[in-house]
Amino acid sequence: MLAVLFVAASGWRPRFTALPLWWILFSDQASFTLVDGGDQIAAVLALLLIPISLTDSRKWHWMRSSQQFGRPRKLAVTVARVSRGVICVQVAFIYLDACLSKLSVPEWVDGTAGYYWLQDPMFGPAGVLRTISNTLMLNPLLVTAMTWGTLVIEFSLGVALLLSARHRAILFPIGLLFHLGIALTMGLWSFVFVMWAALALYLRAEGDFPAEWLSAFRRSRSRSREARRCSVARG
């Protein structure tokens, strides 16, 4: 199992490693007795990456297709764009669900949830970080800012699906730091690594984004209407 994970991480022949990688991740999350959410997300992302990988003829996934094989095949490009669109929708849903589900909890609405999470004996920080967090949590403004800031960041990442590339580029480092904070305060490092990968696919991967697809569709519709009007005018 470790050998398969190592080969997949190395980037060798993605079309051969995609299915074994997904099977291992799926089997792990199904058999673990204690999960942190990252296990399921990793399995889902690996599944959604399979169509992209199966149409990827590169020897290493670190190289550009044009460097070795010329222009990518239309089928591979189409599959990659559609699959990435599905991944973007999935990741956006994760963040929107995380934000909206918290709104039904009074502590998140009144701005005190951050205090209780950091005081939790299982998920709260340990050692020196516990001492620091206990001191910081004595300030009600910091508690409220951390609690509501979490909601704002999660909602912003959720709606990034509809934002421009410039705004997504701004949100990317914010998302990375947000999850780093989760790792430092809650110790959920495996979850954080998975979410960093999800953010890279969601906000930074090459290719058309669903927002650009919508914009292109609108431009196409506009050109079609203009062409029809010109045709009617000539007739």
Side-chain angles (χ1 to χ4, degrees), residues 153 157 165-181 196 199-200 203-204:
I153 292 174
L157 291 172
R166 181 172 64 88
H167 290 99
R168 295 197 304 271
I170 295 173
L171 283 173
F172 183 60
I174 294 175
L176 296 181
L177 291 175
F178 171 65
H179 286 293
L180 177 61
W196 279 347
L199 284 174
L203 301 177
R204 298 296 294 173

Side-chain angles (χ1 to χ4, degrees), residues 14-192:
R15 62 168 44 174
F16 297 145
T17 59
L19 282 170
L21 174 63
W22 167 75
W23 179 250
I24 290 173
L25 294 176
F26 172 77
S27 301
D28 284 346
Q29 65 88 26
S31 60
F32 285 162
T33 56
L34 182 62
V35 296
D36 59 15
D39 312 283
Q40 292 95 333
I41 296 173
V44 170
L45 291 178
L47 175 64
L48 296 177
L49 283 170
I50 288 176
I52 300 176
S53 300
L54 292 180
T55 56
D56 189 349
S57 58
R58 293 175 298 172
K59 183 177 180 180
W60 299 95
H61 70 205
W62 305 106
M63 63 175 59
R64 291 181 179 272
S65 297
S66 58
Q67 292 177 343
Q68 188 170 357
F69 301 101
R71 298 184 63 183
R73 293 170 299 159
K74 289 184 177 180
L75 174 62
V77 172
T78 301
V79 169
R81 287 178 174 176
V82 172
S83 298
R84 190 198 167 210
V86 175
I87 290 172
C88 291
V89 172
Q90 174 64 70
V91 178
F93 177 80
I94 290 173
Y95 284 109
L96 282 176
D97 181 66
C99 174
L100 298 179
S101 63
K102 290 181 176 68
L103 297 180
S104 62
V105 180
E107 288 78 10
W108 282 101
V109 176
D110 64 25
T112 60
Y115 173 84
Y116 296 111
W117 273 107
L118 291 182
Q119 297 301 312
D120 189 280
M122 178 176 293
F123 291 106
V128 176
L129 289 178
R130 167 73 72 174
T131 303
I132 295 174
S133 68
N134 287 343
T135 302
L136 294 177
M137 289 302 98
L138 294 177
N139 188 323
L141 291 179
L142 286 178
V143 174
T144 302
M146 186 188 72
T147 303
W148 288 349
T150 298
L151 298 176
V152 170
I153 292 174
E154 288 178 340
F155 183 79
S156 299
L157 291 172
V159 300
L161 189 72
L162 306 175
L163 300 180
S164 66
R166 181 172 64 88
H167 290 99
R168 295 197 304 271
I170 295 173
L171 283 173
F172 183 60
I174 294 175
L176 296 181
L177 291 175
F178 171 65
H179 286 293
L180 177 61
I182 292 176
L184 292 174
T185 57
M186 302 179 67
L188 301 177
W189 284 99
S190 61
F191 171 77
V192 170

Side-chain angles (χ1 to χ4, degrees), residues 216-228:
F217 176 73
R218 288 173 176 170
R219 289 195 298 269
S220 177
R221 289 285 301 274
S222 178
R223 286 194 295 267
S224 297
R225 287 194 296 267
E226 184 65 26
R228 284 196 296 269

